Amino acid sequence: MTRPEPPVAPLLPAGPLAGIRVLEVGHMLAGPYATMMLADLGAEVTKIEPPGGDISRQVSASYFASLNRGKRSVVMELATPEGQRRLGELVAQSHALLVNLKPSGIHRLGLTYQALRKHNEKIVCVALTGYGLEAGDDPAFDYVIQAATGIAALTGDPDAAPTLPGYSSADNSTGLTAAIGLLAMIVSGRGGQVDVSLRDVMLSQLNYRASAYLNDGVEPRRYPNGAHSYYVPAQLFSTGDGYLALFITHDGFWRSFCAEAGVTGWPTMAERAAHRDDVLATVSAVLAGDTALGWEARLRPLGIPAAAVRTLPEALADTPEVVVSAGDYRLVRSSIRVVGARPAYGAPPSLGEHSLAAEVQSS
């Protein structure tokens, strides 16, 4: 008996969010990243910029492109009566507004649901701030938040200074969270205010660390080579050439590793945790006998989580399929892939490129 073929999903050339109109008043990274994810999924995103433009335009053209592909740009001075009039017209035609400013600026410019519901009862307003919409204007850049929430204290060698990840983890994570909140409210069919802060997002992402402290009194600590707090061996190891990330959790992984590497002992997860130093010394000595790429090639076919440490250029060279064209720019594609949909990665807009069209549409 032959198994019937699964139904083929209909092609969605414009993306699943086609027809959803989102306004963005944002700058730099967190807010623009959130709305770019929505634009990649087919939403029409209109970026409302001040006459000087989003400050990220001053960083570099490629930086701006990495966060604003496929959007429209209109220039509006929101602090003026004319700017407020035009904002109201756009809100009346839109599903959501995402704002990435200080709380005082959000309130002063009337970018909340309470201020804008008169134009559209179903508008979803998302405030993306450092500490919360009602928490004040304390500076809240990515690195500051990583320091304030314990991320920096958990990162790096225990005998060295705290350090930071090599990318904007707080901004990117908060952007994704804001996009989820925005879509959840649109699905609900109700208008309202969504409040997302960098601080709350990063504390939330410390989930099991926070739970261990709050429930078991276990204070987080740093281990050498980025080692996991419980799983052993799960960290970076120096090899005969390069570094290898090895992440052995359950006992099946350990048995497979032992058979390949010629290691014996500590058959259970609890035993390996209790004899951390001995396990790490043994594994380190064994891994020194081959290169990082060699171990990766040997362990991956066995289903063991392992990867050689690569530079970003090396990682991109290994995965050319993730690089897409957006106008004149080569960028990394969306991390959300919808079967049957073909994302249209549009060029980043020039400042005010769509201002005239917006005026005509609202007239």
Side-chain angles (χ1 to χ4, degrees):
M1 180 177 178
T2 59
R3 181 178 297 176
E5 292 292 325
V8 177
L11 188 63
L12 301 169
L17 293 183
I20 299 297
R21 293 181 297 278
V22 178
L23 305 175
E24 173 210 307
V25 180
H27 62 98
M28 294 303 288
L29 206 160
Y33 182 65
T35 54
M36 186 183 73
M37 295 291 288
L38 303 176
D40 287 344
L41 291 169
E44 180 187 281
V45 176
T46 298
K47 188 177 182 71
I48 300 174
E49 301 189 67
D54 179 344
I55 193 173
S56 67
R57 291 183 181 274
Q58 301 174 31
V59 178
S60 72
S62 61
Y63 182 97
F64 181 81
S66 73
L67 297 164
N68 293 284
R69 65 183 174 218
K71 300 180 186 179
R72 305 165 76 247
S73 170
V74 299
V75 171
M76 294 168 54
E77 183 51 80
L78 293 175
T80 67
E82 176 61 15
Q84 285 292 306
R85 182 189 67 79
R86 293 176 61 197
L87 172 65
E89 291 172 345
L90 289 176
V91 166
Q93 302 167 5
S94 300
H95 296 87
L97 165 70
L98 187 145
V99 187
N100 176 200
L101 298 173
K102 290 181 178 181
S104 62
I106 294 174
H107 288 294
R108 176 171 51 82
L109 296 174
L111 300 174
T112 64
Y113 178 73
Q114 192 61 37
L116 295 174
R117 64 185 300 181
K118 62 187 177 186
H119 303 292
N120 181 353
E121 279 285 336
K122 290 191 173 183
I123 191 70
V124 174
C125 293
V126 181
L128 196 162
T129 65
Y131 303 99
L133 184 55
E134 307 302 331
D137 284 352
D138 287 345
F141 290 94
D142 185 287
Y143 286 9
V144 173
I145 292 297
Q146 290 190 47
T149 56
I151 303 293
L154 279 170
T155 310
D157 190 274
D159 295 324
T163 189
L164 300 167
Y167 78 109
S168 299
S169 60
D171 280 340
N172 283 314
S173 298
T174 306
L176 287 171
T177 304
I180 293 172
L182 181 151
L183 292 174
M185 285 298 292
I186 289 179
V187 169
S188 77
R190 305 189 307 272
Q193 183 71 54
V194 178
D195 188 357
V196 179
S197 75
L198 276 76
R199 179 200 60 194
D200 290 0
V201 167
M202 297 316 290
L203 287 173
S204 170
Q205 292 198 350
L206 289 172
N207 37 41
Y208 67 87
R209 293 282 202 171
S211 181
Y213 173 69
L214 293 171
N215 298 286
D216 307 320
V218 178
E219 293 195 24
R221 52 173 289 198
R222 281 181 270 166
Y223 291 92
N225 301 304
H228 193 274
S229 59
Y230 181 73
Y231 301 128
V232 181
Q235 62 179 62
L236 296 178
F237 289 93
S238 178
T239 71
D241 182 17
Y243 287 86
L244 181 78
L246 181 65
F247 202 84
I248 291 179
T249 53
H250 62 68
D251 298 337
F253 286 156
W254 178 246
R255 288 193 295 270
S256 296
F257 175 78
C258 288
E260 177 63 26
V263 174
T264 59
W266 313 291
T268 68
M269 186 186 301
E271 287 178 291
R272 294 191 297 279
H275 297 88
R276 174 184 289 266
D277 291 344
D278 292 336
V279 174
L280 294 181
T282 299
V283 172
S284 296
V286 169
L287 293 181
D290 200 348
T291 66
L293 289 172
W295 280 112
E296 179 182 281
R298 292 166 61 178
L299 298 178
R300 276 193 172 180
L302 303 176
I304 299 171
V309 173
R310 289 166 168 79
T311 65
L312 176 58
E314 289 169 341
L316 291 174
D318 284 349
T319 54
E321 68 276 10
V322 308
V323 179
V324 297
S325 295
D328 296 331
Y329 297 91
R330 298 173 67 233
L331 304 170
V332 175
R333 71 185 179 192
S334 173
S335 56
I336 301 173
R337 299 168 63 193
V338 178
V339 175
R342 296 176 181 171
Y345 295 109
S350 59
L351 179 60
E353 179 180 346
H354 304 90
S355 291
L356 182 58
E359 291 168 1
V360 171
Q361 184 179 8
S362 63
S363 64

